[in-house]
Amino acid sequence: MIRQKRQQRRHKHSILSLVTLLLLATAAGCNQATQQTQTQQTQEAAAPQQSEQIRVVATFLPMYWFTRAVAGDRAQVEILVPPGTEVHDYQATPTDVQAIATADILVKNGLGMEDFLDSTIQNAGNPNLQQIDASSGIETVGEISPVESAGGHGHSHDQGDSDGGNPHVWLDPVLAKQQVENIRDGLIAADPANKDAYQANAAAYIQQLEQTHNQFQQSLQQYPNCTFITFHDAYPYLANRYQLQQVAVVEIPEDQPSPGDIQRAVNAVKKYDAQAIFSEPGVDNSLIQSLSQDLNLTVYSIDPLEAGPTDPQHYFTAMSENLQTIESACQ
């Protein structure tokens, strides 16, 4: 009888233990489910940030570089004019209109560089579009860089340029710094939630621009008044910054210089006692090479930075190569 009661107690104890284990397992399962739910909710709360990023359109390559450098991963940035395409003569496409129609911000160089923009913006019909003029506040060059008459060429930086002045300010690292600051301030105004990121990204890029300026200044100070002939009026800011002299025989480049361009180059070399001739990538240099042999001058290739990779760091690679080119030409 006593043994039977002991067995009953043991049986009840076993059942009780089993129930306790089941309850603990259920509680643990609930805890795990709760944690998984909380984790999932946290991830879902974070996920919309990607879709809520502001959409930014930059007009052409240098503006894309600067904007992408400042925006980092806090904004979606795309480029309108494909790298290597002549911006001065660019004709907008329906895709460009759509890009501007759905953008929050448009970043442009200004100074008449993007003549195609006015009608494109109008066609896009985006009343909420905010525009950042990267050249705002920049003092444009006057008659500091001789430009030989372009004769039959109908292109001019003055045409359609309500602000006046040459638009190629990004080729001067000091003015490029000002453009980055303008882009930074515009992004902060449009997206204040990411102010700290924009400021930090801009500061890092500006530091590199300052280093580039210092390199140009230290290297070129030994070549004051070095004069070079160009077939594109793109380098007056750079020349003025570092006490050089650009003489442009063509304001806006063609695929191939005309015989008239070559004759103007001959006259300019003699008139200004030029030390070198600069051409650019993508230009047929056969006539220029022939000219250089006749004048006993070397033709060098200089980059206006309108083509190349979309990595913002390429600005510094290309500018370093330009510095080496100018040094070689001026020696």
Side-chain angles (χ1 to χ4, degrees):
M1 192 70 180
I2 292 172
R3 183 181 297 172
Q4 187 177 2
K5 287 182 178 179
R6 285 177 179 170
Q7 288 175 346
Q8 288 174 349
R9 281 199 298 270
R10 286 175 186 165
H11 184 64
K12 288 179 180 178
H13 180 70
S14 298
I15 293 173
L16 197 57
S17 298
L18 182 59
V19 170
T20 302
L21 288 171
L22 287 171
L23 289 171
L24 288 172
T26 302
C30 289
N31 260 353
Q32 187 175 5
T34 302
Q35 289 173 354
Q36 288 175 346
T37 302
Q38 289 174 343
T39 302
Q40 186 177 359
Q41 288 174 345
T42 302
Q43 291 173 343
E44 288 173 355
Q49 291 178 358
Q50 288 288 357
S51 60
E52 290 173 1
Q53 286 182 327
I54 59 172
R55 297 192 60 186
V56 185
V57 173
T59 51
F60 66 109
L61 193 56
M63 297 306 100
Y64 177 85
W65 284 335
F66 298 165
T67 304
R68 192 74 186 82
V70 176
D73 60 0
R74 302 305 173 95
Q76 300 177 31
V77 184
E78 59 181 291
I79 187 171
L80 279 185
V81 181
T85 303
E86 177 54 61
V87 183
H88 300 91
D89 296 327
Y90 185 69
Q91 300 293 321
T93 67
T95 303
D96 298 332
V97 175
Q98 180 61 24
I100 293 177
T102 56
D104 298 299
I105 298 173
L106 172 68
V107 179
K108 62 181 180 180
N109 180 80
L111 300 178
M113 187 68 182
E114 302 101 335
D115 285 339
F116 68 91
L117 268 186
D118 288 344
S119 59
T120 309
I121 293 172
Q122 184 176 358
N123 292 335
N126 183 352
N128 298 318
L129 182 70
Q130 299 184 48
Q131 297 187 47
I132 299 175
D133 185 342
S135 298
S136 178
I138 291 178
E139 184 177 353
T140 57
V141 297
E143 298 299 324
I144 64 167
S145 182
V147 179
E148 294 294 306
S149 173
H153 286 60
H155 299 96
S156 169
H157 288 136
D158 296 328
Q159 293 179 359
D161 186 355
S162 58
D163 298 307
N166 189 299
H168 300 83
V169 295
W170 65 88
L171 288 160
D172 174 351
V174 176
L175 298 182
K177 172 184 170 181
Q178 192 168 338
Q179 290 194 302
V180 170
E181 291 171 343
N182 285 335
I183 293 169
R184 174 202 63 197
D185 294 345
L187 290 179
I188 290 173
D191 185 23
N194 286 308
K195 175 181 178 180
D196 291 345
Y198 296 145
Q199 287 181 328
N201 293 340
Y205 204 76
I206 285 170
Q207 184 178 30
Q208 290 182 279
L209 289 169
E210 290 172 344
Q211 291 171 352
T212 299
H213 164 59
N214 291 335
Q215 291 167 357
F216 268 77
Q217 196 168 46
Q218 291 170 11
S219 299
L220 298 180
Q221 62 183 355
Q222 56 188 317
Y223 308 114
N225 300 316
C226 173
T227 302
F228 54 86
I229 306 298
T230 71
F231 289 83
H232 184 189
D233 184 19
Y235 311 95
Y237 294 98
L238 184 147
N240 184 54
R241 178 71 59 190
Y242 304 110
Q243 287 76 55
L244 309 174
Q245 186 175 38
Q246 170 204 259
V247 180
V249 295
V250 176
E251 288 195 58
I252 297 175
E254 304 287 345
D255 293 334
Q256 182 179 35
S258 69
D261 298 333
I262 297 301
Q263 185 57 54
R264 279 186 290 276
V266 171
N267 297 338
V269 168
K270 296 175 181 177
K271 179 178 179 180
Y272 296 98
D273 192 23
Q275 293 170 254
I277 299 172
F278 286 169
S279 184
E280 293 180 348
V283 174
D284 184 346
N285 284 332
S286 54
L287 286 176
I288 300 176
Q289 289 290 354
S290 177
L291 166 68
S292 70
Q293 293 172 6
D294 293 342
L295 296 175
N296 196 27
L297 287 177
T298 303
V299 175
Y300 297 89
S301 180
I302 194 168
D303 189 349
L305 278 61
E306 295 174 20
T310 55
D311 181 357
Q313 289 299 309
H314 187 69
Y315 177 90
F316 305 106
T317 301
M319 286 298 286
S320 177
E321 292 173 355
N322 279 347
L323 174 57
Q324 293 175 20
T325 297
I326 295 170
E327 282 187 285
S328 298
C330 291
Q331 287 176 355

